[in-house]
Short mmCIF file of all heavy atoms in Angstrom, two decimals:
data_model
loop_
_atom_site.label_atom_id
_atom_site.label_comp_id
_atom_site.label_asym_id
_atom_site.label_seq_id
_atom_site.Cartn_x
_atom_site.Cartn_y
_atom_site.Cartn_z
N ALA Q 1 4.80 10.38 -17.39
CA ALA Q 1 4.42 9.39 -18.22
C ALA Q 1 5.73 8.78 -18.87
O ALA Q 1 5.86 7.54 -19.00
CB ALA Q 1 3.48 9.84 -19.32
N SER Q 2 6.63 9.59 -19.30
CA SER Q 2 7.81 9.11 -19.91
C SER Q 2 8.77 8.42 -18.89
O SER Q 2 9.35 7.47 -19.31
CB SER Q 2 8.50 10.24 -20.57
OG SER Q 2 8.91 11.22 -19.67
N ALA Q 3 8.77 8.96 -17.71
CA ALA Q 3 9.62 8.40 -16.63
C ALA Q 3 9.08 6.97 -16.28
O ALA Q 3 9.92 6.03 -16.15
CB ALA Q 3 9.68 9.26 -15.38
N VAL Q 4 7.77 6.87 -16.14
CA VAL Q 4 7.17 5.60 -15.78
C VAL Q 4 7.42 4.59 -16.88
O VAL Q 4 7.72 3.33 -16.71
CB VAL Q 4 5.75 5.65 -15.43
CG1 VAL Q 4 5.01 4.33 -15.34
CG2 VAL Q 4 5.51 6.54 -14.14
N ALA Q 5 7.25 4.99 -18.22
CA ALA Q 5 7.40 4.13 -19.31
C ALA Q 5 8.80 3.49 -19.39
O ALA Q 5 8.96 2.44 -19.96
CB ALA Q 5 6.98 4.82 -20.63
N ALA Q 6 9.77 4.24 -18.82
CA ALA Q 6 11.14 3.73 -18.93
C ALA Q 6 11.47 2.77 -17.74
O ALA Q 6 12.63 2.21 -17.85
CB ALA Q 6 12.04 4.98 -18.81
N ARG Q 7 10.60 2.56 -16.88
CA ARG Q 7 10.85 1.64 -15.75
C ARG Q 7 10.74 0.21 -16.21
O ARG Q 7 10.10 -0.11 -17.23
CB ARG Q 7 9.95 1.95 -14.55
CG ARG Q 7 10.01 3.33 -14.03
CD ARG Q 7 11.39 3.63 -13.39
NE ARG Q 7 11.39 5.01 -12.80
CZ ARG Q 7 12.45 5.58 -12.38
NH1 ARG Q 7 13.62 4.90 -12.44
NH2 ARG Q 7 12.37 6.78 -11.91
N PRO Q 8 11.39 -0.76 -15.44
CA PRO Q 8 11.32 -2.18 -15.84
C PRO Q 8 9.81 -2.68 -15.73
O PRO Q 8 9.00 -2.22 -15.02
CB PRO Q 8 12.14 -2.90 -14.70
CG PRO Q 8 12.99 -1.75 -14.07
CD PRO Q 8 12.22 -0.49 -14.26
N ALA Q 9 9.59 -3.68 -16.54
CA ALA Q 9 8.30 -4.33 -16.71
C ALA Q 9 8.11 -5.53 -15.72
O ALA Q 9 7.03 -6.07 -15.64
CB ALA Q 9 8.02 -4.74 -18.16
N SER Q 10 9.22 -5.86 -15.07
CA SER Q 10 9.27 -7.02 -14.20
C SER Q 10 8.54 -6.78 -12.84
O SER Q 10 8.39 -5.67 -12.43
CB SER Q 10 10.68 -7.38 -13.91
OG SER Q 10 11.33 -6.45 -13.32
N ASP Q 11 8.05 -7.91 -12.20
CA ASP Q 11 7.49 -7.80 -10.97
C ASP Q 11 8.46 -7.29 -9.93
O ASP Q 11 9.48 -7.96 -9.78
CB ASP Q 11 6.89 -9.07 -10.50
CG ASP Q 11 5.68 -9.62 -11.35
OD1 ASP Q 11 4.95 -8.77 -11.80
OD2 ASP Q 11 5.60 -10.84 -11.60
N PRO Q 12 8.16 -6.21 -9.25
CA PRO Q 12 9.18 -5.79 -8.15
C PRO Q 12 9.28 -6.83 -7.07
O PRO Q 12 8.35 -7.51 -6.70
CB PRO Q 12 8.50 -4.45 -7.61
CG PRO Q 12 7.53 -4.02 -8.64
CD PRO Q 12 6.97 -5.38 -9.29
N CYS Q 13 10.56 -6.96 -6.59
CA CYS Q 13 10.83 -7.90 -5.49
C CYS Q 13 12.08 -7.49 -4.65
O CYS Q 13 12.79 -6.65 -5.13
CB CYS Q 13 10.92 -9.38 -5.99
SG CYS Q 13 12.32 -9.50 -7.22
N THR Q 14 12.24 -8.18 -3.63
CA THR Q 14 13.52 -7.94 -2.89
C THR Q 14 14.69 -8.49 -3.60
O THR Q 14 14.50 -9.32 -4.51
CB THR Q 14 13.36 -8.58 -1.48
OG1 THR Q 14 13.21 -10.02 -1.62
CG2 THR Q 14 12.13 -8.04 -0.68
N PRO Q 15 15.96 -8.33 -3.13
CA PRO Q 15 17.14 -8.86 -3.86
C PRO Q 15 17.08 -10.37 -3.79
O PRO Q 15 17.62 -10.92 -4.83
CB PRO Q 15 18.25 -8.29 -3.08
CG PRO Q 15 17.78 -7.00 -2.44
CD PRO Q 15 16.30 -7.25 -2.17
N ASP Q 16 16.49 -10.99 -2.92
CA ASP Q 16 16.39 -12.48 -2.96
C ASP Q 16 15.18 -13.04 -3.54
O ASP Q 16 14.85 -14.16 -3.48
CB ASP Q 16 16.59 -13.01 -1.52
CG ASP Q 16 15.43 -12.65 -0.60
OD1 ASP Q 16 14.52 -11.82 -1.00
OD2 ASP Q 16 15.44 -13.01 0.64
N GLY Q 17 14.38 -12.11 -4.26
CA GLY Q 17 13.19 -12.49 -4.97
C GLY Q 17 11.93 -12.51 -4.14
O GLY Q 17 10.85 -13.07 -4.74
N GLY Q 18 11.93 -12.07 -2.96
CA GLY Q 18 10.73 -12.16 -2.08
C GLY Q 18 9.81 -10.91 -2.33
O GLY Q 18 10.21 -9.98 -2.98
N PRO Q 19 8.61 -10.91 -1.71
CA PRO Q 19 7.76 -9.81 -1.86
C PRO Q 19 8.17 -8.61 -1.11
O PRO Q 19 8.97 -8.71 -0.10
CB PRO Q 19 6.41 -10.38 -1.26
CG PRO Q 19 6.86 -11.37 -0.22
CD PRO Q 19 8.08 -12.01 -0.90
N LEU Q 20 7.76 -7.43 -1.56
CA LEU Q 20 8.23 -6.14 -0.81
C LEU Q 20 7.26 -5.83 0.38
O LEU Q 20 7.56 -4.90 1.16
CB LEU Q 20 8.18 -5.02 -1.79
CG LEU Q 20 9.20 -5.17 -2.94
CD1 LEU Q 20 9.06 -3.98 -3.89
CD2 LEU Q 20 10.50 -5.15 -2.40
N ALA Q 21 6.18 -6.52 0.53
CA ALA Q 21 5.26 -6.43 1.64
C ALA Q 21 4.90 -7.78 2.14
O ALA Q 21 5.00 -8.85 1.37
CB ALA Q 21 4.05 -5.61 1.37
N HIS Q 22 4.57 -7.90 3.38
CA HIS Q 22 4.12 -9.23 3.88
C HIS Q 22 2.56 -9.04 4.36
O HIS Q 22 2.03 -7.97 4.41
CB HIS Q 22 4.98 -9.67 5.08
CG HIS Q 22 6.42 -9.77 4.60
ND1 HIS Q 22 6.81 -10.91 3.88
CD2 HIS Q 22 7.52 -9.04 4.74
CE1 HIS Q 22 8.06 -10.84 3.61
NE2 HIS Q 22 8.50 -9.64 4.15
N VAL Q 23 2.00 -10.16 4.74
CA VAL Q 23 0.58 -10.12 5.04
C VAL Q 23 0.23 -9.22 6.21
O VAL Q 23 -0.95 -8.76 6.35
CB VAL Q 23 -0.02 -11.59 5.26
CG1 VAL Q 23 0.07 -12.36 4.02
CG2 VAL Q 23 0.73 -12.27 6.40
N ALA Q 24 1.21 -8.99 7.09
CA ALA Q 24 0.94 -8.14 8.26
C ALA Q 24 1.03 -6.64 7.96
O ALA Q 24 0.66 -5.79 8.72
CB ALA Q 24 1.90 -8.47 9.38
N ASN Q 25 1.53 -6.32 6.79
CA ASN Q 25 1.65 -4.92 6.34
C ASN Q 25 0.38 -4.42 5.89
O ASN Q 25 -0.46 -5.16 5.35
CB ASN Q 25 2.69 -4.80 5.23
CG ASN Q 25 4.17 -5.02 5.75
OD1 ASN Q 25 4.85 -5.80 5.13
ND2 ASN Q 25 4.53 -4.34 6.78
N PRO Q 26 0.07 -3.12 5.93
CA PRO Q 26 -1.17 -2.51 5.46
C PRO Q 26 -1.28 -2.66 3.95
O PRO Q 26 -0.33 -2.50 3.19
CB PRO Q 26 -1.06 -0.99 5.92
CG PRO Q 26 -0.04 -1.05 6.98
CD PRO Q 26 0.88 -2.10 6.74
N ALA Q 27 -2.49 -2.90 3.51
CA ALA Q 27 -2.79 -2.97 2.06
C ALA Q 27 -3.60 -1.71 1.69
O ALA Q 27 -3.39 -1.20 0.52
CB ALA Q 27 -3.66 -4.24 1.74
N TYR Q 28 -4.47 -1.26 2.46
CA TYR Q 28 -5.28 0.02 2.14
C TYR Q 28 -5.78 0.69 3.40
O TYR Q 28 -5.78 0.06 4.48
CB TYR Q 28 -6.43 -0.42 1.15
CG TYR Q 28 -7.52 -1.32 1.78
CD1 TYR Q 28 -8.63 -0.82 2.49
CD2 TYR Q 28 -7.42 -2.73 1.53
CE1 TYR Q 28 -9.60 -1.60 2.97
CE2 TYR Q 28 -8.44 -3.51 2.05
CZ TYR Q 28 -9.55 -3.02 2.80
OH TYR Q 28 -10.50 -3.86 3.29
N VAL Q 29 -6.11 1.91 3.22
CA VAL Q 29 -6.67 2.73 4.24
C VAL Q 29 -7.99 3.32 3.76
O VAL Q 29 -8.04 3.91 2.63
CB VAL Q 29 -5.74 3.88 4.70
CG1 VAL Q 29 -6.39 4.69 5.77
CG2 VAL Q 29 -4.46 3.26 5.24
N ILE Q 30 -9.04 3.10 4.45
CA ILE Q 30 -10.38 3.70 4.10
C ILE Q 30 -10.87 4.59 5.28
O ILE Q 30 -10.74 4.16 6.38
CB ILE Q 30 -11.44 2.58 3.88
CG1 ILE Q 30 -11.02 1.76 2.64
CG2 ILE Q 30 -12.79 3.23 3.70
CD1 ILE Q 30 -11.17 2.37 1.34
N TYR Q 31 -11.28 5.78 4.86
CA TYR Q 31 -11.82 6.73 5.90
C TYR Q 31 -13.24 6.50 6.10
O TYR Q 31 -14.02 6.41 5.15
CB TYR Q 31 -11.48 8.15 5.48
CG TYR Q 31 -10.09 8.61 6.05
CD1 TYR Q 31 -9.00 8.18 5.37
CD2 TYR Q 31 -9.95 9.32 7.23
CE1 TYR Q 31 -7.66 8.56 5.85
CE2 TYR Q 31 -8.68 9.71 7.68
CZ TYR Q 31 -7.59 9.30 7.00
OH TYR Q 31 -6.25 9.62 7.48
N THR Q 32 -13.67 6.44 7.37
CA THR Q 32 -15.08 6.29 7.67
C THR Q 32 -15.40 7.31 8.78
O THR Q 32 -14.60 7.98 9.26
CB THR Q 32 -15.41 4.80 8.17
OG1 THR Q 32 -16.76 4.72 8.32
CG2 THR Q 32 -14.69 4.59 9.54
N SER Q 33 -16.63 7.48 9.02
CA SER Q 33 -17.19 8.55 9.95
C SER Q 33 -16.71 8.31 11.33
O SER Q 33 -16.56 7.16 11.76
CB SER Q 33 -18.68 8.61 9.93
OG SER Q 33 -19.20 9.79 10.61
N GLY Q 34 -16.49 9.40 12.11
CA GLY Q 34 -16.02 9.28 13.46
C GLY Q 34 -17.18 9.82 14.48
O GLY Q 34 -17.92 10.59 14.10
N SER Q 35 -17.05 9.31 15.66
CA SER Q 35 -18.13 9.72 16.66
C SER Q 35 -18.05 11.19 17.05
O SER Q 35 -19.01 11.78 17.52
CB SER Q 35 -17.89 8.80 17.99
OG SER Q 35 -16.58 9.11 18.48
N THR Q 36 -16.94 11.85 16.75
CA THR Q 36 -16.85 13.33 17.06
C THR Q 36 -17.15 14.11 15.81
O THR Q 36 -17.06 15.37 15.85
CB THR Q 36 -15.39 13.67 17.44
OG1 THR Q 36 -14.43 13.33 16.44
CG2 THR Q 36 -14.98 12.85 18.71
N GLY Q 37 -17.48 13.46 14.70
CA GLY Q 37 -17.73 14.15 13.45
C GLY Q 37 -16.46 14.23 12.60
O GLY Q 37 -16.51 14.75 11.52
N THR Q 38 -15.32 13.75 13.15
CA THR Q 38 -14.06 13.74 12.41
C THR Q 38 -13.88 12.39 11.77
O THR Q 38 -13.85 11.39 12.48
CB THR Q 38 -12.89 14.06 13.30
OG1 THR Q 38 -13.12 15.41 13.94
CG2 THR Q 38 -11.61 14.15 12.64
N PRO Q 39 -13.63 12.30 10.47
CA PRO Q 39 -13.37 11.02 9.81
C PRO Q 39 -12.11 10.28 10.45
O PRO Q 39 -11.20 10.96 10.86
CB PRO Q 39 -13.19 11.34 8.35
CG PRO Q 39 -13.82 12.74 8.20
CD PRO Q 39 -13.63 13.41 9.46
N LYS Q 40 -12.06 9.04 10.41
CA LYS Q 40 -11.05 8.23 10.87
C LYS Q 40 -10.65 7.23 9.92
O LYS Q 40 -11.45 6.63 9.16
CB LYS Q 40 -11.43 7.55 12.25
CG LYS Q 40 -12.58 6.66 12.14
CD LYS Q 40 -13.01 6.13 13.60
CE LYS Q 40 -14.14 5.08 13.50
NZ LYS Q 40 -15.40 5.77 13.04
N GLY Q 41 -9.31 7.03 9.71
CA GLY Q 41 -8.77 6.02 8.73
C GLY Q 41 -8.57 4.73 9.32
O GLY Q 41 -8.07 4.49 10.40
N VAL Q 42 -9.19 3.74 8.65
CA VAL Q 42 -9.08 2.31 9.01
C VAL Q 42 -8.00 1.72 8.29
O VAL Q 42 -7.95 1.66 7.05
CB VAL Q 42 -10.49 1.53 8.74
CG1 VAL Q 42 -10.31 0.11 9.24
CG2 VAL Q 42 -11.56 2.25 9.49
N VAL Q 43 -7.02 1.11 8.94
CA VAL Q 43 -5.84 0.47 8.38
C VAL Q 43 -6.08 -1.07 8.22
O VAL Q 43 -6.15 -1.76 9.22
CB VAL Q 43 -4.58 0.65 9.18
CG1 VAL Q 43 -3.34 0.11 8.48
CG2 VAL Q 43 -4.37 2.24 9.34
N VAL Q 44 -6.15 -1.52 7.02
CA VAL Q 44 -6.46 -2.91 6.77
C VAL Q 44 -5.23 -3.57 6.12
O VAL Q 44 -4.66 -3.08 5.16
CB VAL Q 44 -7.65 -3.09 5.81
CG1 VAL Q 44 -7.95 -4.63 5.55
CG2 VAL Q 44 -8.98 -2.46 6.38
#
């Protein structure tokens, strides 16, 4: 908690001010059921 509170409040960005991820990068992973009974992660 103390370490996080000491971090900058600004929006993170690259040195040239761009985003740190692009639309082709993964946003989230959700696990759903698998045909073998083993859950599988879907990368969106």
Side-chain angles (χ1 to χ4, degrees):
S2 61
V4 170
R7 300 297 182 188
S10 57
D11 294 323
C13 61
T14 62
D16 61 358
L20 294 177
H22 300 284
V23 292
N25 291 128
Y28 64 88
V29 177
I30 297 286
Y31 272 78
T32 187
S33 186
S35 58
T36 62
T38 301
K40 56 188 185 293
V42 182
V43 181
V44 181

